[in-house]
């Protein structure tokens, strides 16, 4: 099958890149060509930002009533649902995730846009009666043109953790999706235009981070950046944003602890621990990649976990029975293999997995099995470094105080899980763990209504929920003098 060909989307039109160069995306499961994208340049970014600037400064979108924006957002959600089969197939093929998971991602994307359709009608300011002769109001206004840099693991879902919240506030946007997984951002551009989104409000420049991404970050007509990706690249985004001191929201890496106490429902905790780290083959910033198990149940728990991990089904992404697909790229495969070798050299005990699968039909893809290391000390590098692959490291602890110390012993602070039947233990741990989200007796539950983000090297700012729309606004204070004035210089 021939690769699908895509152009940039700027000012409501699909258009070629100024350079004429393209990027070929190969299937991570088979190695065959999937898609061909325009390789956007700084010139193309300038065109896209200019379109978004016009749409914000002169266009209808920021000046529409909240009700009008809400109706368009709702039609956008309907459009995503109507093309769920196509969008899921594209994401499954490009990311390597199982088709069932991709379908869930697309449904979740539509839900996020729907939520924002309601939120658009409920953007709130406040009023402050200062007494006597002064009354003030605080208005929330859209921040302006937003640059959005999106990773490859959840291409449309992460784009739509940002875009509909920005649109609901009245902002315009330029998106730079990953060069590995750009298809759904471009298909969404077509769907959103058909839903009535005005030209220039949403623009897409495909290309490499070093060219298109860097130009977007440094552009002085961009008022805000929102970036999801590695901590290393997040540092570069912050440095580039200094060009005009633009606001930056960062959702970065993680090494999230999943903590199992002896009183937990062990069978449920085993299943959840597998899901926490092996969903999307571990290529998830929130992956529960550090398993902390209380000493009295440690050996039993690891034995059960390893047995269930070996039952997970690796397969081609298009197979509806597949639970783990391939890693997204050769680069990512090499990283996972490197981290596995590092863990072995450090003395971690390999319980299961640990080697590439090359038997047919996997010989041309980047398939890596669920891998578990036990007896990992908090001092080992593998206990601190984000692998971004299907690798779990297990550590034992004695009590809640030690569990909290180990949980906080990394530079990250994105998510954490706690498994216990004791509400006091659960609350104690939730307060002690330094993370943006703590799940108790569940994991990887991300909802449109609830804020999401990290702390420390996992980034700053929040997406989703009411906090999400407020990130895309500025607060303007307006003061009214009432009644007669005594004089400016009088006491």
């Amino acid at each position: 099958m021939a690769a699908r060909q895509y152009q940039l989307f700027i000012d409501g039109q699909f258009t070629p890149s100024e350079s004429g160069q393209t990027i070929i995306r190969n299937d991570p499961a088979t190695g065959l060509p999937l898609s061909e994208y325009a390789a956007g340049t700084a010139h193309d970014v300038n065109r896209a930002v200019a379109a978004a600037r016009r749409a914000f400064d002169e266009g209808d979108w920021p000046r529409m009533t909240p009700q009008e924006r809400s109706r368009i957002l709702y039609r956008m959600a309907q459009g995503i649902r109507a093309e769920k089969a196509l969008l899921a197939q594209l994401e499954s093929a490009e990311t390597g995730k199982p088709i069932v998971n991709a379908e869930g991602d697309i449904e979740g994307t539509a839900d996020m846009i729907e939520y924002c359709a309601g939120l658009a009608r409920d953007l709130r300011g406040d009023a402050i009666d200062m007494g006597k002769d002064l009354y003030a109001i605080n208005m929330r206004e859209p921040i302006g043109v937003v640059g959005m840099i999106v990773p490859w693991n959840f291409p449309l879902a992460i784009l739509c953790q940002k875009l509909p919240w920005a649109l609901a506030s009245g902002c315009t946007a330029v998106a730079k999706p990953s060069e590995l997984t750009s298809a759904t951002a471009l298909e969404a551009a077509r769907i959103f235009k058909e839903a009535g989104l005005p030209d220039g409000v949403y623009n897409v420049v495909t290309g490499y981070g070093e060219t298109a991404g860097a130009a977007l970050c440094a552009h002085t007509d961009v008022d805000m950046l929102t970036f999801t990706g590695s901590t290393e690249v997040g540092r570069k985004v912050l440095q580039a944003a200094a060009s005009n001191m633009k606001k930056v929201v960062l959702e970065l890496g993680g090494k999230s602890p999943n903590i199992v106490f002896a009183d937990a429902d062990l069978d449920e905790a085993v299943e959840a621990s597998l899901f926490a780290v092996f969903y999307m083959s571990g290529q998830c910033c929130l992956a529960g990649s550090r398993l902390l198990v209380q000493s009295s149940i440690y050996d039993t728990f690891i034995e059960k976990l390893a047995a269930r991990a070996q039952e997970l089904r690796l397969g081609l992404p298009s197979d509806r029975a597949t639970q783990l697909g391939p890693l997204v790229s050769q680069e990512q495969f090499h990283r996972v293999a490197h981290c596995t070798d590092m863990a072995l050299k450090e003395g971690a005990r390999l319980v299961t997995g640990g080697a590439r699968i090359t038997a047919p039909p996997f010989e041309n893809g980047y398939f890596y099995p669920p891998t578990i290391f036990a007896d990992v000390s908090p001092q080992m590098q593998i206990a601190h470094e984000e692998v971004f692959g299907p690798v779990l490291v297990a550590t034992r602890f004695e009590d809640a105080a030690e569990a909290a110390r180990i949980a906080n012993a990394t530079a990250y602070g994105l998510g954490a899980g706690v498994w216990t039947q004791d509400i006091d233990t659960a609350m104690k741990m939730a307060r002690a763990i330094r993370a943006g989200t703590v799940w108790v007796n569940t994991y990887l539950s991300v909802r449109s209504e609830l804020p999401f983000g990290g702390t420390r090297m996992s980034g700053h700012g929040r997406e989703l929920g009411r906090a999400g729309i407020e990130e895309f606004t500025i607060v303007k204070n307006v003061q009214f003098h009432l009644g007669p004035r005594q004089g400016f210089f009088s006491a």
Side-chain angles (χ1 to χ4, degrees):
M1 184 176 70
R4 299 173 70 98
Q5 295 183 325
Y6 290 96
Q7 296 180 314
L8 313 177
F9 186 79
I10 298 175
D11 206 11
Q13 303 295 325
F14 286 100
T15 178
S17 167
E18 174 256 354
S19 70
Q21 297 180 342
T22 60
I23 299 169
I24 302 294
R25 170 58 173 151
N26 292 326
D27 189 324
T30 67
L32 298 175
L34 273 178
S35 310
E36 183 176 4
Y37 300 110
T41 64
H43 175 78
D44 298 314
V45 170
N46 288 341
R47 293 163 54 205
V49 172
R53 185 86 263 164
R54 283 192 304 273
F56 185 78
D57 291 346
E58 306 167 18
D60 293 335
W61 187 252
R63 294 159 188 85
M64 285 183 181
T65 66
Q67 293 84 353
E68 289 172 318
R69 285 201 295 269
S70 174
R71 285 191 285 271
I72 292 174
L73 283 161
Y74 184 70
R75 290 199 296 270
M76 289 164 55
Q78 290 179 306
I80 292 294
R81 277 211 178 87
E83 303 212 31
K84 174 179 171 179
L86 170 64
L87 295 170
Q89 185 272 323
L90 292 172
E91 286 224 343
S92 176
E94 289 198 329
T95 64
K97 71 178 62 177
I99 184 64
V100 173
N101 295 151
E103 289 170 350
D105 287 352
I106 303 306
E107 183 62 36
T109 296
D111 180 78
M112 286 189 283
I113 302 171
E114 269 182 349
Y115 172 76
C116 288
L119 198 59
R121 304 169 74 119
D122 195 29
L123 183 58
R124 302 172 187 173
D126 57 15
I128 307 171
D129 187 346
M130 302 298 293
K132 198 174 180 180
D133 58 0
L134 186 63
Y135 193 83
I137 61 173
N138 293 325
M139 301 189 301
R140 286 197 172 270
E141 297 183 337
I143 198 168
V145 176
V146 182
M148 302 179 174
I149 300 181
V150 181
W152 44 258
N153 51 348
F154 298 91
L156 190 57
I158 291 181
L159 172 65
C160 288
Q161 286 179 195
K162 308 173 187 294
L163 181 65
W165 275 264
L167 297 182
S169 75
C171 291
T172 61
V174 177
K176 209 299 283 183
S178 168
E179 67 274 12
L180 299 177
T181 56
S182 298
T184 49
L186 291 162
E187 294 288 353
R190 171 183 58 80
I191 293 168
F192 296 163
K193 181 179 174 69
E194 292 170 356
L197 191 67
D199 293 349
V201 173
Y202 171 57
N203 307 272
V204 184
V205 178
T206 53
Y208 295 107
E210 298 84 353
T211 49
L216 184 60
C217 290
H219 205 294
T220 55
D221 253 353
V222 173
D223 300 300
M224 173 182 170
L225 290 170
T226 172
F227 169 82
T228 299
S230 71
T231 300
E232 177 186 3
V233 177
R235 288 193 183 98
K236 296 178 181 178
V237 171
L238 279 176
Q239 292 167 356
S243 60
N244 62 333
M245 304 299 286
K246 59 176 69 71
K247 179 179 179 178
V248 181
V249 170
L250 299 173
E251 195 272 283
L252 306 175
K255 191 74 174 178
S256 298
N258 191 32
I259 305 165
V260 182
F261 285 88
D263 67 338
D265 181 326
L266 296 192
D267 290 336
E268 186 172 345
V270 164
E271 293 302 311
S273 297
L274 292 171
F275 180 72
V277 69
F278 297 132
Y279 174 69
M280 185 58 194
S281 296
Q283 300 168 118
C284 174
C285 57
L286 278 167
S289 54
R290 286 190 297 149
L291 177 66
L292 280 56
V293 183
Q294 199 157 24
S295 290
S296 61
I297 60 166
Y298 179 86
D299 292 333
T300 299
F301 194 88
I302 297 302
E303 184 179 344
K304 287 187 174 185
L305 192 75
R308 281 290 294 119
Q310 292 165 8
E311 294 173 356
L312 294 176
R313 181 184 170 113
L314 273 76
L316 298 175
S318 58
D319 185 342
R320 300 193 71 82
T322 294
Q323 294 172 301
L324 279 81
L327 298 173
V328 75
S329 66
Q330 185 178 52
E331 178 183 3
Q332 197 60 28
F333 164 76
H334 286 318
R335 173 166 181 76
V336 172
H338 165 75
C339 290
T340 299
D341 291 343
M342 176 178 66
L344 290 170
K345 290 175 183 177
E346 289 185 305
R349 175 167 62 90
L350 180 64
V351 178
T352 188
R356 183 178 186 173
I357 295 178
T358 57
F362 306 130
E363 66 272 22
N364 295 318
Y366 306 113
F367 290 88
Y368 207 88
T371 298
I372 299 174
F373 286 99
D375 306 337
V376 174
S377 76
Q379 291 74 37
M380 291 181 181
Q381 189 175 350
I382 193 63
H384 295 265
E385 189 164 323
E386 184 179 35
V387 178
F388 225 66
V391 178
L392 177 66
V393 298
T395 301
R396 66 177 73 225
F397 69 88
E398 296 298 329
D399 56 24
E402 184 181 20
R405 284 196 300 273
I406 297 171
N408 290 332
T410 74
Y412 297 107
L414 192 55
V418 177
W419 294 85
T420 179
Q421 299 300 315
D422 188 323
I423 188 64
D424 291 334
T425 299
M427 185 58 72
K428 181 178 181 179
M429 294 302 297
R431 286 173 170 160
I433 295 169
R434 299 177 66 187
T437 298
V438 177
W439 290 287
V440 178
N441 296 329
T442 188
Y443 205 93
L444 283 182
S445 172
V446 179
R447 303 296 176 89
S448 302
E449 298 84 356
L450 304 178
F452 168 67
T455 185
R456 299 190 288 168
M457 298 299 280
S458 292
H460 52 72
R462 290 295 178 266
E463 297 178 338
L464 309 181
R466 180 167 295 280
I469 194 171
E470 292 178 352
E471 291 285 3
F472 295 101
T473 66
I474 58 173
V475 176
K476 179 183 286 183
N477 174 255
V478 182
Q479 302 179 23
F480 299 88
H481 177 82
L482 306 174
R485 187 186 301 279
Q486 298 298 318
F488 285 102
F489 289 100
S490 60

